[in-house]
Amino acid sequence: MENKTLAKDAWGSRLGLILAMAGNAVGLGNFLRFPVQAVQNGGGAFIIPYLVCFLILGIPLLFIEWSSGRFGGKFGNHSTPFILDTMGKGRLWKYVGVFGIFTNIAVVAYYTYIESWSLSYVLHTILGTFEGMSQTQVAQFFDDYISIGSSTTGIPFEPIVFYVLVLILNVYILSKGLGGIEKAAKIGMPLLIMFGIILAIKALTLGESGKSIQFPDASAWDGLNFLWTPQYDSLLNPKVWLAAAGQIFFTLSVGMGTIQCYASYLKANDDVALNSISAGFMNEFVEVVLGSSIVIPIAAGFLGLDWVLENAGFGMAFQTMPFLFQQWGPVIAAFSGIFWFGLLFFAGITSSLAMGTPWMGFMKDEFGWGMKRGAWSFGLLALIMGLPTVLFYHHGYFDEYDYWAGTVSLVIFALLESILFSWVFGINKGWQEITDGADIQVPVIYKFIIKYITPLLLLLVFIGALVTPHGNDWMANINNLLSGHSWELDDSSIIKKLSLYEYKNQLMEAKTQLDREVIEDKIFYSNFARIQLVSLFLFIVLLVYYANTRRTKLFTK
C-alpha cells in the first residue's frame, strides 16, 4: 500500500510547487552568506556582477534543471542518475547523476546542524538568556553551545540533542511525501517572508538612531549605501565575478539534483518556464531585498561600517545579532530574536526537506521503497554522515563537508549537466522541453546563452576555483604570468586544498609541540572527513550500478 501511495505522489497545487521550489532555494545562504559575500567583495561593486550572473547563469540553470526533471519524470525517473541516463547517449551519465544524490546527503548532514542552532537560539531568546550580555559574552555563548562538554540549558550533550531533534522533524515531514513538503512550504515560506519584512523595516528605520556613547559613529544608512552604491570598475575584476557566480549556486540550489527531483513529479505538459522564473525571482527578492536589509544595516547602525567591513562573517548571525537586538530593549529584543532565528530555521528546513527527495525518489524507483522507509533511511544516512560534524566541529570536519560537498560538488555537477543538456541531449530538444507547455514567451536569446554562455561561465568558475591565485588577486597574477613569472596559487584553491597545503605549511612553521599537535589533529580529521565523503559517493555509485543491472535484467526478460 505504501509503495502505491508513493507512486501516485504529486504536487497538490501550482502555488505549493512554487513555494516548495522557492523554499528549496531560499535557505541560510540568503541571510548569512549573501550579505557577507557582498561586504567582502566591495558592497555595491558586487551587485552588478551578481545580477548579471543571475540572468546568464542562474536562470539558464533553472531552465535546464526544471526541464530535465520533467523530461526524466515522463519515463518514471525521480532522481538524477536515471534522469540524466534518459538524456545521455553514453553509459557514464548515470554516474554523473550520482552527484545529485551524494551532494544532498552530505550537505544535509551539516546543514541540519545549523538549523538546530537556530531552533536552540529561539528557545534561548524566549528564556531571555542573552539579556545583559556583552558582545564578547554573546560570542562566547556560541562557542560554549557547540562544545560537547558544556551545556547552556543543562541538557547533557545539548548540541547533539537539538541536532537529532531537527533531523527527526525533517524525516517526519519527508515521510508524508510531497504533500508534507508542500504543507511545510506553505507554512514556512510566508512566515519566513513576514519575519524578514518586519526585521528589514526595523533595520531600515534605524537610520542613525543606533548612535550612542558606545557607538558614536554608527549609522544603518552607511551599511545600506555601501551595499547599494554601484561601482562600475568591478566589471573588470575577475575576483568579484567569480564570487558572484559562486553565490548563484548557493542561492538557487542549482547543481544539487533537488530541482530535477521536484520537477520530475510534474505532468508532461506542465509549465516549467514560468514556474522556474517565479521560484527564482522569489528567491532573489528574499536574498537581495530582505537578506541585504537585515544583518549589515543593523550591525552598521550599532557598531559602525568600519566594524562590519573588518568583521563580516558567517558567525555574525549567532555571535553578534543577539547582542545587537538587546540594544532595542528587552521586549523588542525578544521579538527580534524570535523573528531572526525563526526566519533562519524556516529558511533552513524548507531547503533541507528538498535534499531528502532525490534519495527517496531513487530508492522508490529502483527498489520499491515507500515514503516512510525512504525518509528514515535518508535520516539514518544523514545521521551517520552528520554526527561527526557535531562532535568534531572545532576540528574542521564541518568546513571539509561544506567545501567539498557544498561548493566543489555543485560546480562540477552544474558544469556537466549543462554540457549534457546543450551538447549531448541537444539544444534543440532541450529548448523544446523548456518551451513545451510554457505559460510565458521565453526570450529566444536564452537558447544561445544556455548553449554557449552558461557552460563557458561554469567552466571559468571551476577553473577559477581550481587555480585561485595568491591573495585572490587575478590581475596581478595574470600580469606576472604574462611577464614570464609563475602562477602562485592561493591556499583556497582546489589544488592546494586537495594537498592540505595550508595545514602542512603551518606544521612546518609551528614553534611548539602543542602547536604541532593541534595542526596534526586538524590534518587527521580533514582526511577522515574526506574518507567519509568519498565512501558515501562510492556507496551511491554501487547502488546505481546495482540498480542499472536490475533494470538491464528486467529489460532483457
Side-chain angles (χ1 to χ4, degrees):
M1 181 64 70
E2 189 179 86
N3 290 345
K4 291 180 180 179
T5 302
L6 184 59
K8 296 178 181 179
D9 215 9
W11 297 106
S13 66
R14 184 171 190 168
L15 175 62
L17 168 63
I18 292 174
L19 286 175
M21 281 287 198
N24 170 41
V26 174
L28 296 166
N30 294 68
F31 301 97
L32 305 184
R33 194 177 191 274
F34 174 76
V36 172
Q37 284 292 304
V39 169
Q40 292 176 347
N41 290 280
F46 181 75
I47 296 299
I48 294 176
Y50 173 81
L51 293 177
V52 171
C53 285
F54 173 67
L55 294 175
I56 65 175
L57 181 62
I59 292 295
L61 282 172
L62 287 172
F63 283 154
I64 288 172
E65 296 196 351
W66 274 76
S67 56
S68 297
R70 188 187 64 177
F71 178 79
K74 296 175 185 178
F75 299 90
N77 297 313
H78 303 95
S79 62
T80 51
F82 290 100
I83 288 176
L84 267 58
D85 191 51
T86 60
M87 300 175 66
K89 299 175 183 178
R91 298 178 180 179
L92 295 179
W93 287 108
K94 65 177 70 67
Y95 297 107
V96 171
V98 168
F99 280 103
I101 298 176
F102 160 79
T103 300
N104 290 285
I105 296 173
V107 170
V108 84
Y110 69 87
Y111 197 84
T112 45
Y113 187 29
I114 308 176
E115 286 175 37
S116 71
W117 300 349
S118 302
L119 187 62
S120 175
Y121 269 58
V122 169
L123 175 62
H124 281 292
T125 300
I126 295 172
L127 295 175
T129 302
F130 304 113
E131 290 182 20
M133 280 190 178
S134 66
Q135 185 180 348
T136 302
Q137 288 173 325
V138 171
Q140 183 59 47
F141 176 88
F142 177 76
D143 289 335
D144 291 340
Y145 173 77
I146 60 176
S147 298
I148 302 300
S150 62
S151 175
T152 60
T153 58
I155 301 173
F157 304 107
E158 180 184 7
I160 297 176
V161 171
F162 275 97
Y163 173 70
V164 173
L165 283 175
V166 169
L167 196 57
I168 289 174
L169 179 60
N170 275 269
V171 169
Y172 174 76
I173 297 172
L174 282 170
S175 70
K176 303 299 179 181
L178 295 183
I181 295 172
E182 192 170 339
K183 287 178 182 177
K186 286 181 176 179
I187 295 171
M189 285 302 296
L191 284 174
L192 182 157
I193 293 173
M194 182 183 74
F195 290 169
I197 290 174
I198 292 172
L199 288 168
I201 291 173
K202 183 63 179 174
L204 296 177
T205 55
L206 179 62
E208 297 186 356
S209 63
K211 288 187 175 181
S212 64
I213 296 175
Q214 187 178 4
F215 311 114
D217 300 319
S219 173
W221 295 111
D222 289 340
L224 290 170
N225 290 334
F226 177 73
L227 288 175
W228 288 105
T229 302
Q231 298 177 22
Y232 299 102
D233 58 346
S234 66
L235 299 178
L236 298 177
N237 190 336
K239 170 182 175 291
V240 178
W241 280 97
L242 284 171
Q247 178 61 23
I248 291 298
F249 285 101
F250 286 92
T251 191
L252 295 177
S253 294
V254 291
M256 291 190 69
T258 52
I259 292 175
Q260 291 95 324
C261 181
Y262 273 7
S264 69
Y265 292 97
L266 291 171
K267 296 176 183 177
N269 290 318
D270 280 351
D271 168 84
V272 295
L274 180 59
N275 283 350
S276 60
I277 288 179
S278 298
F281 273 94
M282 184 180 295
N283 174 79
E284 291 307 295
F285 166 77
V286 172
E287 176 157 293
V288 177
V289 178
L290 299 183
S292 64
S293 301
I294 299 175
V295 176
I296 302 305
I298 292 176
F302 284 115
L303 302 173
L305 182 60
D306 289 340
W307 184 94
V308 172
L309 294 177
E310 185 177 344
N311 296 280
F314 178 82
M316 285 177 63
F318 298 94
Q319 294 175 292
T320 305
M321 294 300 284
F323 166 72
L324 298 182
F325 292 148
Q326 299 304 314
Q327 310 308 310
W328 287 326
V331 176
I332 298 179
F335 279 105
S336 298
I338 292 170
F339 291 160
W340 172 242
F341 295 114
L343 175 156
L344 293 181
F345 177 74
F346 286 123
I349 198 167
T350 51
S351 295
S352 59
L353 287 173
M355 298 177 200
T357 51
W359 168 264
M360 292 174 62
F362 173 74
M363 297 307 289
K364 179 266 168 185
D365 289 347
E366 309 308 324
F367 303 103
W369 285 23
M371 288 182 290
K372 291 182 179 179
R373 195 176 181 185
W376 286 102
S377 62
F378 172 75
L380 180 60
L381 276 174
L383 181 64
I384 293 171
M385 293 296 299
L387 202 53
T389 68
V390 182
L391 295 171
F392 310 126
Y393 179 85
H394 287 296
H395 300 283
Y397 224 95
F398 182 103
D399 296 330
E400 287 291 329
Y401 273 39
D402 185 49
Y403 182 75
W404 296 110
T407 306
V408 176
S409 180
L410 271 62
V411 178
I412 293 174
F413 185 47
L415 172 61
L416 294 175
E417 70 173 345
S418 69
I419 293 172
L420 168 65
F421 187 85
S422 298
W423 296 92
V424 180
F425 185 64
I427 190 61
N428 291 330
K429 290 171 65 177
W431 188 252
Q432 186 68 40
E433 283 299 320
I434 293 171
T435 55
D436 272 355
D439 292 332
I440 58 170
Q441 183 70 38
V442 184
V444 71
I445 186 64
Y446 270 106
K447 188 175 183 179
F448 174 83
I449 291 173
I450 290 171
K451 184 174 183 179
Y452 297 105
I453 305 299
T454 302
L456 178 61
L457 185 55
L458 287 167
L459 182 61
L460 290 175
V461 169
F462 178 68
I463 293 174
L466 192 69
V467 295
T468 307
H470 179 67
N472 222 342
D473 191 340
W474 285 86
M475 297 309 299
N477 278 272
I478 289 172
N479 290 331
N480 285 340
L481 195 62
L482 293 175
S483 302
H485 300 293
S486 62
W487 184 274
E488 190 175 354
L489 292 172
D490 193 79
D491 290 346
S492 65
S493 65
I494 292 177
I495 292 175
K496 283 203 170 180
K497 284 278 188 179
L498 274 171
S499 64
L500 291 171
Y501 177 86
E502 183 178 6
Y503 289 152
K504 291 178 181 178
N505 192 45
Q506 291 174 3
L507 190 61
M508 292 175 61
E509 297 176 354
K511 296 180 179 180
T512 68
Q513 181 62 29
L514 179 61
D515 289 339
R516 282 191 289 272
E517 288 176 358
V518 170
I519 298 168
E520 288 172 351
D521 188 62
K522 289 183 178 180
I523 292 174
F524 171 81
Y525 283 105
S526 292
N527 284 327
F528 199 78
R530 294 178 183 188
I531 290 171
Q532 199 167 358
L533 288 170
V534 171
S535 298
L536 174 64
F537 190 89
L538 293 177
F539 170 67
I540 299 170
V541 166
L542 289 174
L543 283 179
V544 171
Y545 175 81
Y546 179 60
N548 185 61
T549 303
R550 283 166 52 94
R551 285 189 172 212
T552 303
K553 289 180 179 179
L554 289 173
F555 181 77
T556 54
K557 284 184 178 180

